[in-house]
Amino acid sequence: MEKLVLMKNPFLKDVFEHADFVWTRPETINEIAFDSKPLIENHILMCGDTAGMITPLCGNGMAMAFHAAKILSDIIISGCDKGFDNQSRTQLEQAYQQQWQKQFGLRLRTGRYIQRFFGSEILSEAVIGGLKYFPALTRYLVKQTHGSTI
Ligand SMILES: Cc1cc2nc3c(=O)[nH]c(=O)nc-3n(C[C@H](O)[C@H](O)[C@H](O)COP(=O)(O)OP(=O)(O)OC[C@H]3O[C@@H](n4cnc5c(N)ncnc54)[C@H](O)[C@@H]3O)c2cc1C
């Protein structure tokens, strides 16, 4: 694909021919699972990709990781201010679960749902071709996968 498609672009061709690559093989997303994951496991608080990965079609994985880190750090700092015991630890976990779900739950679910339409070439073409005639629906779907600024 690099030779047949990407290198048709002279700028990318220059990069591929002259850059020092970090890995011998390219890192691609086809081996990555986008299934839902537990947010908290054995009291370990997950954040960023460990909490759940948004499908590449929706993008924004980096922004989501930053956003989740901000939510979690705010909760931990306020927990530290109050002092920790078993009860406050449970409250901290519940607060994180609630805020994370509110911020990312629907976005990840929508992303997974949309991604299902892009498994086969025919279905992908049909969906993209069809959505062209419904720009308001397209905007609505994109909005469901993107958050707002903090
Ligand atoms: C091919 C690809 C393309 C992508 N393209 C985009 C894009 O265009 N835009 C976008 O927004 N997002 C993109 N993403 C998603 C984005 O990269 C991630 O959502 C984001 O980096 C998640 O941040 P994170 O901090 O959770 O995890 P990471 O960025 O993966 O950071 C985790 C870090 O922990 C380190 N680590 C792992 N195990 C250990 C250990 N045991 N001890 C110490 N350190 C450890 C790793 O080395 C790594 O540095 C892409 C992802 C892939 C794979």
Side-chain angles (χ1 to χ4, degrees):
M1 193 190 77
E2 286 170 0
K3 283 200 180 105
L4 291 176
V5 182
L6 299 179
M7 285 195 201
K8 281 184 186 166
N9 177 324
F11 297 102
L12 290 180
K13 187 169 190 282
D14 187 54
V15 171
F16 277 106
E17 285 177 348
H18 297 107
D20 289 327
F21 285 90
V22 177
W23 292 298
T24 47
R25 296 178 62 211
E27 174 84 327
T28 59
I29 52 95
N30 60 337
E31 67 256 23
I32 295 171
F34 297 97
D35 304 333
S36 57
K37 304 175 186 174
L39 183 62
I40 300 167
E41 216 170 340
N42 294 331
H43 301 288
I44 299 169
L45 306 160
M46 308 292 173
C47 186
D49 279 2
T50 57
M53 290 176 77
I54 191 144
T55 53
L57 190 76
C58 306
N60 259 347
M62 287 186 282
M64 285 179 58
F66 282 122
H67 198 160
K70 167 84 171 82
I71 292 172
L72 184 55
S73 55
D74 283 348
I75 292 175
I76 291 173
I77 290 167
S78 105
C80 287
D81 288 343
K82 288 177 202 149
F84 277 114
D85 56 25
N86 277 348
Q87 195 192 349
S88 56
R89 173 78 200 196
T90 308
Q91 284 168 355
L92 180 150
E93 291 180 6
Q94 283 170 349
Y96 181 49
Q97 194 103 36
Q98 275 168 7
Q99 289 191 38
W100 191 95
Q101 277 301 335
K102 187 172 165 221
Q103 199 56 241
F104 306 115
L106 177 68
R107 289 165 67 181
L108 291 173
R109 277 198 303 281
T110 310
R112 278 196 293 273
Y113 191 70
I114 295 174
Q115 187 77 11
R116 285 191 208 148
F117 293 103
F118 293 88
S120 85
E121 204 176 324
I122 296 169
L123 196 54
S124 313
E125 295 287 337
V127 172
I128 291 173
L131 282 175
K132 266 197 284 196
Y133 299 101
F134 302 99
L137 176 62
T138 309
R139 274 196 299 278
Y140 172 78
L141 289 175
V142 171
K143 208 170 162 205
Q144 297 307 302
T145 64
H146 284 62
S148 50
T149 49
I150 303 177

